[in-house]
Amino acid sequence: ILFYHSVDEMLVPSKFVADLLHKRGLRNRKLLVLDRWVDVDRFRPDNRVTAYWQGFGIAADAVKFVYIGWVAIEKNLHVLAQAYRGLRDGQKNAHLIIVGDGPYRTTLEAQLQGLPVTFTGYLQGEELATALASCDVKVFPSTTDTWGNAPLEAQASGLPVIVTDIGGPAELMQDGVTGILCPPGDVAAL
C-alpha cells in the first residue's frame, strides 16, 4: 500500500489487519473494519442432505471434516494432513473432505495417501451449499487469511469451525461456542 500516507481513512478486512498496519507504522489514520456478511439464504443448516456424501463413497456414519478453499501451501494444509493422520489413529470413522483446488493438491494427496480423504475439486452454487451443510466440522488451519468467508459460511450452515487464533477467521467465531481456536501450526491442538 504505497498511497496510504495521503489518506485519512482506510478500509481493512479485519481487526487483525488493522493491528498489522499499526505495527508497521500506520498512525493517525482511521482504519475502518469492513463488516462482512454471508448469504444466509444460500448457506443454511436446512441444506443438509444426509445421504449427500454417500454418492462420493463416504459412509453414512462418517464424521465429515471439511476444508473449503484454495489448496495452497500458505493455507497450512500440511498441518491439517498431520492432524488428520493423528485423529484417524483414534477415530476410525473420521473422513476428510477437501473442496477446492490449487497448486498444493498433488502434495496434499501424497501426504494423505492411504487415508479416507475425498477431493472434490471446485464446487459452486447450490451444490457447494449442500455439500457444506452435509458435513460435520469445518477445519481452516490458515494463518494468512485476512478474513476468510469459508468459516463464516460454515457457521451459517450450522457447522462448528476449527480455526487458528491468528488471522481474520478468529474474529468470526466464539471459541468454545461456535467452534474452537487453536494455536497455529500445533498439530496436536488441531
Side-chain angles (χ1 to χ4, degrees):
I1 303 175
L2 300 174
F3 64 89
Y4 74 80
H5 291 291
S6 64
V7 298
D8 293 323
E9 295 180 337
M10 182 180 294
L11 289 173
V12 294
S14 62
K15 292 176 190 172
F16 172 73
V17 171
D19 290 344
L20 283 176
L21 290 173
H22 278 298
K23 287 177 186 173
R24 293 184 179 172
L26 182 62
R27 299 281 185 249
N28 301 323
R29 303 287 188 272
K30 189 172 187 179
L31 297 177
L32 306 171
V33 177
L34 176 64
D35 287 329
R36 296 288 187 89
W37 58 91
V38 63
D39 183 350
V40 295
D41 291 328
R42 181 171 161 203
F43 294 99
R44 57 187 198 278
D46 66 351
N47 282 333
R48 186 177 187 88
V49 174
T50 305
Y52 177 83
W53 289 106
Q54 290 175 345
F56 288 81
I58 300 173
D61 66 343
V63 178
K64 294 167 284 304
F65 292 84
V66 64
Y67 168 84
I68 297 177
W70 180 238
V71 181
I73 195 163
E74 67 269 14
K75 300 297 186 174
N76 287 341
L77 297 175
H78 65 287
V79 176
L80 175 58
Q82 292 171 34
Y84 179 60
R85 188 169 291 286
L87 176 67
R88 281 288 302 174
D89 288 342
Q91 298 293 323
K92 298 299 182 189
N93 66 336
H95 194 102
L96 181 61
I97 299 165
I98 306 293
V99 177
D101 211 343
Y104 194 67
R105 179 174 173 165
T106 302
T107 302
L108 187 60
E109 286 174 334
Q111 291 172 349
L112 294 165
Q113 187 173 358
L115 295 173
V117 178
T118 300
F119 287 82
T120 67
Y122 292 110
L123 299 179
Q124 299 178 33
E126 292 306 312
E127 183 167 14
L128 174 62
T130 300
L132 180 56
S134 301
C135 289
D136 300 303
V137 179
K138 165 74 170 126
V139 184
F140 198 71
S142 177
T143 60
T144 59
D145 281 73
T146 59
W147 184 256
N149 276 3
L152 199 57
E153 292 166 349
Q155 289 176 94
S157 298
L159 275 64
V161 296
I162 301 172
V163 300
T164 63
D165 60 7
I166 292 181
E171 297 174 28
L172 303 176
M173 50 84 69
Q174 294 177 305
D175 190 26
V177 177
T178 61
I180 299 171
L181 289 175
C182 65
D186 188 331
V187 172
L190 185 60

